[in-house]
Amino acid sequence: MRDILDQLDTRRKQARLGGGQKRIDGQHQKGKLTARERIELLLDHGSFEEFDMFVQHRCVDFGMDKQEKPPGDGVVTGWGTVNGRKVFVFAKDFTVLGGSLSETHALKVQKIQDMALKMRAPVIGLFDSGGARIQEGVASLAGYADIFKRNVMASGVIPQISLIMGPCAGGDVYSPAMTDFIFMVRDTSYMYVTGPDVVKTVTNEIVTHEELGGASVHTTKSSISDGAFDNDVEALLQLRRLIDFLPANNMEGVPEWPTNDDPQRRDTSLDTLVPDNANQPYDMKELIRKIVDEGDFFELSEKHAGNIITGFGRIEGRTVGIVANQPMVLAGVLDSDASRKAARFVRFCDAFEIPIVTFVDVPGFLPGTAQEYGGLIKHGAKLLFAYSQCTVPLVTCITRKAFGGAYDVMASKHIGGDVNYAWPTAQIAVMGAKGAVEIIFRGQSPEEIEKRTKEYEQRFLSPFVAAERGYIDEVIMPHSTRPRIARALAMLRTKTVEQPWRKHDNMPL
Ligand code: HXC
């Protein structure tokens, strides 16, 4: 009996070594942790329950049947808790055949996806993989497709998060692309459909891994990644922080954490946040940090389309999604990138019943051929569509400019805003005074233009025309913004909206 028990111990020890000590050392030398070390850091201490530790590949081609078969087959899977909340996890083990995906490796991942969906709990993938196991050919492609299908089935039901922690190619970038959030580790992680060698062969282009698919590219230019962290440890700790904000599924509602931050807290410094000069920028993040509990704001896609801010905070301990124009970047204008970024975030919040708080200071949509040729109409429509479709509570606060179509789009009353506030500094109009007067009074003398501009400013550049019509529910003092939003959100907790039956909408993709 003792021998049998010892055998299990020996087999487990061997499985935990993955591709062997030499390859583990190699992983460490590259500044990366192993799959098991990553899971240890991600989950609460001692909470990991592993599945399929002894699974082996079944490949017989290219001499694979003659080689030693590493138990686990390149992926560590199971479940555990993050601050006591259940999550399912799979972590690619680069030490085993480069973490590449075989038929059996794919089945392990699928088992986790199925269990996560059945249990209605988030699924987290830690990626570090050479893509399809080349020796397995179509069996590997089939394995990926089965994973993709599950990604889609789970979309909008449970949060799916991908953390890219090494080189990732082919299927190991397409599956993350269908999840809700992708994060990367700077300097050690790369994402591309085909790597630099293939690029060189096909297009003659010579690029490095970083130039082709590093965090510096995907957090800025391509916007594939929602954020990047300096190393594995930092990335995993930040992932824990993100999970604390997220509901377990689309039915459970937002988590509620204890907080010592009084929802009635007023902040008089907000009364001077907006400068006297309407063209002078100010930092919208200062407002966000002063509104949310304990200043804790988890920003997404910070380095891409900085003219709009998206991220999670809490009010009264409950998660809210924050969308805000940022006057510090391009005056907070809405362009294609900003519209797409915010639209995707709004849809995530709506799918998972996360109320949205929107802060508005927007001079309009960005004019010009570059934007029009790039499809601004369709991209802007994405954000309009996403907000209009929301059934979650929408609380909006206009701090300064809300001009033109961008006023409508930014969670206005007309497209579904439940409680719409404005600060006394708000200017709600078709456009700024100068532009408006130059169109209406074209050809008039400079004195006349100046006089009319003043008239326009007095009549329209305030929140009161909109408030007179009920488009703004209340003009509020900046210092009372947190208590007003907290009260509105508390009132809106029972919001119920019926939608007409349809198979699905046809949003402007
Ligand atoms: C089998 C693989 C492998 C793969 C790596 N290995 N990728 N084995 N299939 N796809 C093995 C290597 O043989 C090596 O084994 C070990 O993993 C480590 O790989 P190295 O190349 O030594 O590591 P490194 O120099 O860090 O380079 C990592 C890499 C490179 C950039 C990922 O290995 C690479 O380019 N791999 C191929 C990537 C690729 O083109 N994949 C197919 C994508 S197509 P030993 O025994 O020496 O440790 C795809 C199709 C699905 O995924 C598409 C669905 C839409």
Side-chain angles (χ1 to χ4, degrees), residues 86-138:
K86 183 170 53 196
V87 296
F88 287 79
V89 59
F90 59 90
K92 306 279 176 152
D93 183 353
F94 193 79
T95 69
V96 175
L97 293 155
S100 58
L101 183 131
S102 67
E103 183 188 3
T104 45
H105 172 132
L107 287 171
K108 285 183 68 173
V109 175
Q110 289 158 30
K111 188 190 273 187
I112 289 302
Q113 290 180 298
D114 289 343
M115 291 192 90
L117 187 58
K118 223 188 281 177
M119 259 39 87
R120 297 291 194 265
V123 60
I124 297 148
L126 307 180
F127 289 84
D128 189 354
S129 160
R133 176 92 42 92
I134 295 165
Q135 295 88 333
E136 296 214 12
V138 71

Side-chain angles (χ1 to χ4, degrees), residues 475-487:
V475 181
I476 62 170
M477 293 299 281
H479 64 248
S480 66
T481 307
R482 176 173 155 90
R484 300 302 289 252
I485 291 176
R487 295 262 299 152

Side-chain angles (χ1 to χ4, degrees), residues 134-160:
I134 295 165
Q135 295 88 333
E136 296 214 12
V138 71
S140 173
L141 299 185
Y144 271 125
D146 291 335
I147 290 171
F148 301 156
K149 181 76 177 166
R150 283 168 172 79
N151 284 135
V152 177
M153 289 300 285
S155 182
V157 184
I158 52 171
Q160 301 180 83

Side-chain angles (χ1 to χ4, degrees), residues 75 84 90 304 355 451:
V75 62
F90 59 90
H304 174 72
K451 189 178 135 223

Side-chain angles (χ1 to χ4, degrees), residues 17 104 106 225 280 349 352 369 472:
L17 274 178
T104 45
S225 175
Q280 203 177 315
C349 291
F352 287 97
T369 48
I472 294 297

Side-chain angles (χ1 to χ4, degrees), residues 300 310-312 321-323 340-349:
L300 293 161
T310 53
F312 298 111
I322 308 262
V323 180
R340 271 192 303 118
K341 169 177 160 180
R344 181 153 170 83
F345 181 71
V346 166
R347 274 173 74 80
F348 176 83
C349 291

Side-chain angles (χ1 to χ4, degrees), residues 17-249:
L17 274 178
Q21 193 57 48
K22 207 168 135 225
R23 290 194 183 87
I24 292 176
D25 294 342
Q27 183 85 344
H28 289 158
Q29 273 156 19
K30 287 180 196 154
K32 301 194 290 180
L33 297 176
T34 64
R36 282 200 165 72
E37 288 164 345
R38 287 167 175 165
I39 290 176
E40 273 296 306
L41 273 172
L42 174 67
L43 301 180
D44 296 339
H45 185 62
S47 73
F48 182 49
E49 296 282 346
E50 187 169 348
F51 295 139
D52 295 338
M53 191 187 227
F54 304 115
V55 162
Q56 296 181 335
H57 70 74
R58 302 171 192 143
C59 182
V60 293
D61 292 311
F62 299 102
M64 290 290 278
D65 51 340
K66 310 278 179 327
Q67 291 175 20
E68 211 184 309
K69 292 183 179 177
D73 202 22
V75 62
V76 182
T77 61
W79 70 277
T81 57
V82 172
N83 284 322
R85 298 169 73 227
K86 183 170 53 196
V87 296
F88 287 79
V89 59
F90 59 90
K92 306 279 176 152
D93 183 353
F94 193 79
T95 69
V96 175
L97 293 155
S100 58
L101 183 131
S102 67
E103 183 188 3
T104 45
H105 172 132
L107 287 171
K108 285 183 68 173
V109 175
Q110 289 158 30
K111 188 190 273 187
I112 289 302
Q113 290 180 298
D114 289 343
M115 291 192 90
L117 187 58
K118 223 188 281 177
M119 259 39 87
R120 297 291 194 265
V123 60
I124 297 148
L126 307 180
F127 289 84
D128 189 354
S129 160
R133 176 92 42 92
I134 295 165
Q135 295 88 333
E136 296 214 12
V138 71
S140 173
L141 299 185
Y144 271 125
D146 291 335
I147 290 171
F148 301 156
K149 181 76 177 166
R150 283 168 172 79
N151 284 135
V152 177
M153 289 300 285
S155 182
V157 184
I158 52 171
Q160 301 180 83
I161 307 169
S162 306
L163 180 52
I164 312 298
M165 311 188 82
C168 286
D172 280 299
V173 296
Y174 269 111
S175 175
M178 280 185 294
T179 61
D180 297 300
F181 302 107
I182 300 179
F183 297 97
M184 296 182 75
V185 181
R186 287 189 194 99
D187 304 324
T188 49
S189 77
Y190 312 101
M191 295 179 80
Y192 26 66
V193 177
T194 51
D197 294 344
V198 180
V199 171
K200 185 163 173 265
T201 312
V202 177
T203 69
N204 253 334
E205 196 184 353
I206 296 171
V207 277
T208 63
H209 291 275
E210 184 64 33
E211 286 163 351
L212 188 61
S216 55
V217 171
H218 287 314
T219 53
T220 54
K221 279 190 192 134
S222 79
S223 78
I224 300 294
S225 175
D226 297 287
F229 306 105
D230 282 341
N231 52 56
D232 283 15
V233 177
E234 168 74 3
L236 292 159
L237 295 181
Q238 288 299 325
L239 205 57
R240 284 177 63 88
R241 196 176 143 230
L242 173 66
I243 291 162
D244 284 351
F245 281 102
L246 302 182
N249 57 60

